[in-house]
Amino acid sequence: AQSVAQPEDQVNVAEGNPLTVKCTYSVSGNPYLFWYVQYPNRGLQFLLKYITGDNLVKGSYGFEAEFNKSQTSFHLKKPSALVSDSALYFCAVRAITGGGNKLTFGTGTQLKVEL
Amino acid sequence: ETGVTQSPTHLIKTRGQQVTLRCSSQSGHNTVSWYQQALGQGPQFIFQYYREEENGRGNFPPRFSGLQFPNYSSELNVNALELDDSALYLCASSLGTIAGGVTDTQYFGPGTRLTVL
């Protein structure tokens, strides 16, 4: 079975400071990892993904994520947070089941960026 | 915006009723996945359709069923609604293969908020 853990329900950071949203995963075989963001009353918006290759993945809106195989982690980072980054962030791992694929999501981390 | 649309936006039903939710996939995509997101939770996989065939199912009872049409749009049907079915239902479209293409990213629609009273 595949699973994702997001250990922090909420992360608070001051605008202009770096931010990190943590994610660890469990999966058989090679992981395909994703980050999505959800704004209030909206669907999920794709930020970035790791398939293979460089452990540092760059995505939308200045976000990046670092894949660490030995620690089974895929933490989301941004060098300088903006108030507009405040939203709910989901980490997901992709599994291949029965010839298809599904995303298994974590429970989400609420990011609050304050002035 | 992703180009994935869902209807209706909101829906209120009573226990025991049936509901149909609709999803139009992004142009060029052939795969639709449905997820249920309960309040305060991450999305849970319901099932996936690839080129009109079910291609994977999560841990949901048979009263959750679906269809995919030749234009790759999709429906989610839920029979005998229960109070716990109240949730945001998300549709995601992607370009996949039967084995699950490794670069296939799922793009989500805005969701349908279902309330069961």
Side-chain angles (χ1 to χ4, degrees), chain B residues 9-25:
Chain B
T9 305
H10 297 87
L11 203 51
I12 299 175
K13 292 285 189 179
T14 56
R15 195 170 48 182
Q17 286 189 310
Q18 178 266 343
V19 69
T20 297
L21 310 182
R22 295 178 174 83
C23 172
S24 292
S25 57

Side-chain angles (χ1 to χ4, degrees), chain A residues 35-108:
Chain A
W35 275 101
Y36 286 85
V37 60
Q38 186 174 36
Y39 294 97
N41 301 313
R42 301 286 295 276
L44 274 68
Q45 182 175 338
F46 170 72
L47 279 179
L48 51 80
K49 66 182 177 185
Y50 171 82
I51 300 298
T52 186
D54 195 347
N55 289 344
L56 185 64
V57 178
K58 294 189 182 296
S60 306
Y61 312 114
F63 284 94
E64 57 190 27
E66 186 169 10
F67 171 65
N68 187 316
K69 187 172 183 178
S70 63
Q71 297 185 1
T72 61
S73 67
F74 189 57
H75 301 332
L76 181 71
K77 300 182 180 184
K78 187 174 182 180
S80 179
L82 299 172
V83 171
S84 57
D85 293 331
S86 298
L88 186 58
Y89 290 80
F90 288 99
C91 179
V93 64
R94 178 168 161 231
I96 298 178
T97 306
N101 79 91
K102 69 173 185 179
L103 292 175
T104 299
F105 286 86
T107 52

Side-chain angles (χ1 to χ4, degrees), chain A residues 36 38 49 94 99-101, chain B residues 37 48 55 98 100 103 105-106:
Chain A
Y36 286 85
Q38 186 174 36
K49 66 182 177 185
R94 178 168 161 231
N101 79 91
Chain B
Q37 185 180 15
Q48 181 183 88
N55 187 37
I98 190 67
T103 60
T105 297
Q106 296 184 21

Side-chain angles (χ1 to χ4, degrees), chain B residues 44-100:
Chain B
Q44 299 289 318
F45 176 74
I46 302 174
F47 44 56
Q48 181 183 88
Y49 280 84
Y50 168 72
R51 299 181 72 175
E52 302 180 61
E53 296 289 331
E54 187 177 292
N55 187 37
R57 188 178 181 92
N59 189 26
F60 280 82
R63 59 190 184 83
F64 285 79
S65 63
L67 282 174
Q68 188 179 32
F69 300 100
N71 66 355
Y72 303 131
S73 65
S74 177
E75 287 182 355
L76 164 65
N77 299 292
V78 187
N79 293 322
L81 284 167
E82 300 178 359
L83 298 179
D84 285 349
D85 295 333
S86 295
L88 180 67
Y89 288 85
L90 296 165
C91 158
S93 83
S94 55
L95 179 61
T97 66
I98 190 67

